[in-house]
Amino acid sequence: SLTRSRHSRHLGACAAALARFNAGDGGDLAVAAEQLRLARRELGRITGHVGAEEVLDIIFRDFCVGK
């Protein structure tokens, strides 16, 4: 059982991304890869594994870079 609502939310988002991946007909590999990336990101948020892409997203979202 998940003791934190945050874990439950991220696990639900991971499951939704995997469901979208499984529902795909295999026609567009870019869309399938994106769903797998989203699922991995949600699991990483539970385990604490943060990739460089997420760090860059936070920097560009929260700070005024390049102005």
Side-chain angles (χ1 to χ4, degrees):
S1 76
L2 297 173
T3 58
R4 296 181 183 219
S5 63
R6 178 180 65 85
H7 291 174
S8 180
R9 186 176 63 249
H10 290 307
L11 191 58
C14 176
L18 290 175
R20 289 189 300 271
F21 170 78
N22 285 330
D25 60 4
D28 192 348
L29 292 178
V31 173
E34 176 65 9
Q35 294 309 315
L36 290 176
R37 186 189 71 78
L38 290 172
R40 185 187 86 35
R41 183 183 70 183
E42 294 299 331
L43 286 178
R45 288 181 174 171
I46 294 171
T47 63
H49 182 267
V50 178
E53 185 177 313
E54 277 196 59
V55 172
L56 291 174
D57 287 345
I58 292 168
I59 290 171
F60 284 107
R61 183 188 68 221
D62 294 346
F63 299 99
C64 183
V65 175
K67 290 187 179 181

